[in-house]
Amino acid sequence: MKIIGLTGGIASGKSTVADILIENGYKVIDCDKIAWALAEPQREIWQIYLERYGERVLNPDRTLNRQAVADIVFRDKEELTAINALVHPIIKGQMWEEAAQAKKSGVQTIFFDVPLLFEAGFDKMTDENWLVYVLPEIQKERLMARNGYSEAEALRRISAQMSLEKKKLLADVVIDNNGDVEELHRQVLEQVKDGQG
């Protein structure tokens, strides 16, 4: 079984690539979806946040108040590092579990869709890593159009992540998403064909 990491920056088109892969029958394990599920009331990540921060990170219905958590961890780099050290192993464990299930059912190639693939060390779990790449100007324009951000807010969000130029140096495969969706489709399908995914 081959595991391919799929990453990109905000508004780079990573989700579109994941959708193309799923439409073509490939198994994609979404890191964010797993993290959200594990943060449901009484689940593992929910318990970690409650133990660490107390009731202030819960909504009245006992669901996690994600904004309250974000307000704590994104204002303090050390706290973000500490919480990631607790949470990431749980997410990785769940991803491995899902990969093992897929392998049992005969799946040959699995994609791990992880926004922070390199930053959080998820690339150590993969055989190959793909980056969905866009030029900074296009990334900014797409983010402003998609989320209604001002230019300053878009740039702040982009600069909070590892640059796509740095990620490009770490990736095995670069999917160029500066063109249209048809071109993106063509590249993705060509890539899986070449890799015999």
Side-chain angles (χ1 to χ4, degrees):
M1 180 179 72
K2 184 177 188 180
I3 296 179
I4 299 173
L6 174 64
T7 196
I10 190 168
S12 65
K14 177 181 63 64
S15 298
T16 306
V17 170
D19 290 343
I20 293 167
L21 291 164
I22 292 164
E23 282 162 20
N24 284 277
Y26 289 91
K27 173 73 176 170
V28 177
I29 297 175
D30 185 325
C31 171
D32 280 350
K33 279 187 186 155
I34 287 173
W36 280 77
L38 292 171
E40 289 293 318
Q42 310 306 322
R43 300 285 310 270
E44 298 92 320
I45 290 176
W46 182 90
Q47 298 276 5
I48 286 171
Y49 286 134
L50 179 62
E51 284 168 23
R52 195 166 180 92
Y53 307 125
E55 301 281 330
R56 65 186 167 139
V57 296
L58 296 185
N59 292 312
D61 64 358
R62 309 287 294 161
T63 57
L64 192 65
N65 182 330
R66 293 168 193 283
Q67 190 55 55
V69 173
D71 287 346
I72 295 166
V73 300
F74 290 114
R75 290 201 175 120
D76 180 344
K77 277 196 168 158
E78 283 181 20
E79 187 54 33
L80 181 61
T81 302
I83 201 72
N84 282 344
L86 294 169
V87 167
H88 286 161
I90 296 168
I91 297 170
K92 287 175 182 174
Q94 184 64 38
M95 291 177 81
W96 277 125
E97 216 169 282
E98 290 192 23
Q101 289 300 321
K103 187 180 180 183
K104 273 185 198 165
S105 62
V107 174
Q108 298 297 307
T109 304
I110 294 173
F111 288 85
F112 279 176
D113 177 349
V114 186
L116 301 177
L117 184 80
F118 299 115
E119 297 93 321
F122 281 75
D123 58 315
K124 309 290 183 285
M125 301 166 67
T126 59
D127 301 303
E128 181 178 293
N129 294 299
W130 290 16
L131 170 70
V132 184
Y133 175 83
V134 284
L135 291 166
E137 189 59 30
I138 292 175
Q139 184 183 20
K140 182 189 74 178
E141 284 168 15
R142 286 180 184 168
L143 184 57
M144 288 167 68
R146 187 187 80 183
N147 293 49
Y149 290 153
S150 66
E151 184 175 14
E153 178 62 10
L155 290 170
R156 193 180 71 75
R157 298 280 177 139
I158 290 166
S159 67
Q161 300 183 329
M162 182 191 288
S163 79
L164 288 176
E165 296 304 325
K166 275 188 185 165
K167 289 184 179 185
K168 208 174 178 183
L169 300 173
L170 298 168
D172 301 297
V173 171
V174 176
I175 306 283
D176 186 313
N177 190 21
N178 290 303
D180 57 23
V181 177
E182 286 72 27
E183 170 59 18
L184 186 64
H185 253 89
R186 188 194 62 71
Q187 282 186 73
V188 172
L189 296 181
E190 200 173 88
Q191 202 56 59
V192 284
K193 192 171 111 278
D194 288 352
Q196 299 306 304

